[in-house]
Amino acid sequence: MPLPDLFRDRISLPVIGAPMFLVSHPELVIAQCKAGIPGTFPTLNARPLEVLDEWLARITKTLAEDPKAAPFGVNLVMHKSNTRLAEDTELTIKYKVPFVVTSVGSPAPMVEHVHGYGGLVFHDVTTIKHAQKAIDAGVDGLILVCTGAGGHAGFLSPFAFLHEVRKIFDGTIILAGAMSTGRHIKAATVMGADIAYLGTRFIATTEAHAADAYKNMIVSSAAADTVHTPYFSGVPANYLKPSLAAAGYDPDNLGINPDGGSLSIDGGDKSGPQPWKDLWSAGQGIGAIEDIPTVADLVARMKEEYAAAG
Ligand SMILES: Cc1cc2nc3c(=O)[nH]c(=O)nc-3n(C[C@H](O)[C@H](O)[C@H](O)COP(=O)(O)O)c2cc1C
C-alpha cells in the first residue's frame, strides 16, 4: 500500500512526528509540519478544553498560510478513563483535523466521525489481535508500536510484526520504535513500512516542550539506560533510568508496585514523582541522539541520511 493521498506530494520524508504526552505542543507540531513531516499532539496536552480550541485554531491557521506544510494530526486516547473524549472529538470534527491517531482502546467510535469529514484514522497497536480488531473497525492505517519504543512500547520485533500485519492489511503501515536517523527511516521503508513514526528523537529538539535536563539526559544516555516496566502506569513503558534514580527509585530493582496495577493515561493524581512529568520516558533509540537541534535542521539532516542510505 502506498502513502495515503493525504500525504502524497505533501511530505518531504516518510516520517510522522509521533504524539507525546506533555512534550508535543503547537511549537513542535508546527515546526514538524513546516519541515515537511506530519506533526501530532495528544489532545490531553491542551488543558483546559478551551486551550485545545485555541491550539487547533492556531495550528490550522498557521499551516494554511504555508502551502508547503505537511498536514497535522491529533492523538485521541480512547480509554474509558479519558473523560474529555467527547469534547475533544467535537473539536476534532469542528477543525476537520486531517488525521487522528487513536490509542489505548477501540478506534471504532472514531472511524465514522473522522471519515465523515474526510479525515483519516491511524490506530496504535502492539499485537496482531488488536491489529485485526482495528482493521475490522475500518481504520486507514496501523501504527505498529514495536519493542524499544518510547512511551508504552510493545514487545514484538518490527521484522516479525510488520510481516504478519502486511499479510492481513493493505492499508497504510506506520512503523514505530527506536528510530532516530534517516538511515533508520530508510530501513523501515525497505522492510515494507509506508511511514516511520518517531517520538523520542524529537524530544531532543529546541521546539519540544521538555525540560532542558530531560533533553540533556536523552543526549547523554544509551539503550542500556532505559527500563521497560509496567511499574508506574500499569502498562509497560520505557523510562530513562537516571530520571527514576533521581526520584529515589532503584531502576534495576523496581519490584512490584502495589498501586501500579491499573492504567492511568496521564499518571493519575497520585502524590510523589509522576510518570511522564518527573519520570521521563524515552525509547531505545537514544544511543543515536547526540544533539539538540531545531526541527528544521534535524529533518534536513535526516533527509541527507535517508538519501545516502541508498
Ligand atoms: C515522552 C513520550 C510520551 C508519549 N506519549 C504518548 C501519548 O500521549 N499518546 C500516544 O499515542 N503515544 C505516546 N507516546 C508514544 C509515541 O507516540 C511513539 O509511539 C513512540 O515515541 C515511538 O517510539 P520512539 O520514541 O522510540 O521513536 C509517547 C512517547 C514518549 C517518548
Side-chain angles (χ1 to χ4, degrees):
M1 163 83 186
L3 285 175
D5 286 345
L6 174 68
F7 292 167
R8 207 181 307 279
D9 301 326
R10 291 189 63 195
I11 63 173
S12 64
L13 198 61
V15 171
I16 291 175
M20 293 182 283
F21 186 55
L22 305 182
V23 174
S24 307
H25 278 222
E27 291 68 28
L28 180 61
V29 175
I30 289 169
Q32 290 172 324
C33 293
K34 280 180 164 279
I37 64 162
T40 58
F41 68 95
T43 55
L44 292 173
N45 279 359
R47 299 182 201 216
L49 184 65
E50 300 74 60
V51 176
L52 179 60
D53 202 339
E54 189 266 308
W55 283 16
L56 289 172
R58 176 155 38 121
I59 294 170
T60 305
K61 181 169 180 293
T62 309
L63 297 183
E65 288 163 0
D66 181 350
K68 287 203 180 134
F72 80 104
V74 294
N75 168 224
L76 291 168
V77 176
M78 304 304 290
H79 193 255
K80 57 183 182 318
S81 63
N82 181 5
T83 52
R84 269 220 350 220
L85 184 57
E87 288 107 319
D88 290 6
T89 302
E90 258 180 52
L91 285 175
T92 301
I93 297 168
K94 174 180 165 189
Y95 286 93
K96 296 187 170 56
V97 175
F99 68 97
V100 170
V101 170
T102 48
S103 57
V104 212
S106 169
M110 205 51 61
V111 171
E112 202 177 329
H113 291 306
V114 179
H115 284 177
Y117 65 79
L120 300 179
V121 177
F122 302 145
H123 187 62
D124 249 26
V125 290
T126 55
T127 66
I128 288 288
K129 185 177 143 202
H130 286 108
Q132 185 62 62
K133 282 189 174 177
I135 294 166
D136 295 343
V139 299
D140 304 282
L142 290 172
I143 301 164
L144 312 188
V145 184
C146 298
T147 185
H152 292 134
F155 289 89
L156 290 175
S157 147
F159 292 98
F161 202 9
L162 206 146
H163 185 84
E164 290 197 28
V165 170
R166 199 47 109 188
K167 281 200 284 188
I168 58 170
F169 185 53
D170 58 9
T172 300
I173 295 188
I174 302 157
L175 191 66
M179 287 176 273
S180 301
T181 69
R183 179 171 284 272
H184 292 156
I185 297 159
K186 185 76 188 187
T189 62
V190 171
M191 284 167 65
D194 297 301
I195 311 176
Y197 196 68
L198 274 64
T200 300
R201 173 58 266 201
F202 286 101
I203 301 174
T205 59
T206 51
E207 292 91 341
H209 189 261
D212 286 345
Y214 187 1
K215 297 180 184 183
N216 290 332
M217 195 178 284
I218 285 177
V219 170
S220 61
S221 300
D225 300 311
T226 62
V227 56
H228 190 219
T229 176
Y231 189 91
F232 300 104
S233 71
V235 172
N238 269 312
Y239 296 92
L240 284 162
K241 287 185 186 179
S243 74
L244 306 191
Y249 294 98
D250 177 353
D252 294 314
N253 293 291
L254 286 167
I256 294 171
N257 184 349
D259 300 324
S262 63
L263 174 63
S264 148
I265 53 166
D266 59 3
D269 53 7
K270 294 176 205 134
S271 57
Q274 302 292 308
W276 317 110
K277 180 169 173 280
D278 310 298
L279 310 172
W280 295 328
S281 178
Q284 291 177 359
I286 50 178
I289 301 176
E290 290 169 350
D291 58 1
I292 305 171
T294 63
V295 168
D297 286 348
L298 175 62
V299 173
R301 186 204 303 162
M302 284 175 168
K303 279 192 222 167
E304 284 172 17
E305 293 166 343
Y306 182 84

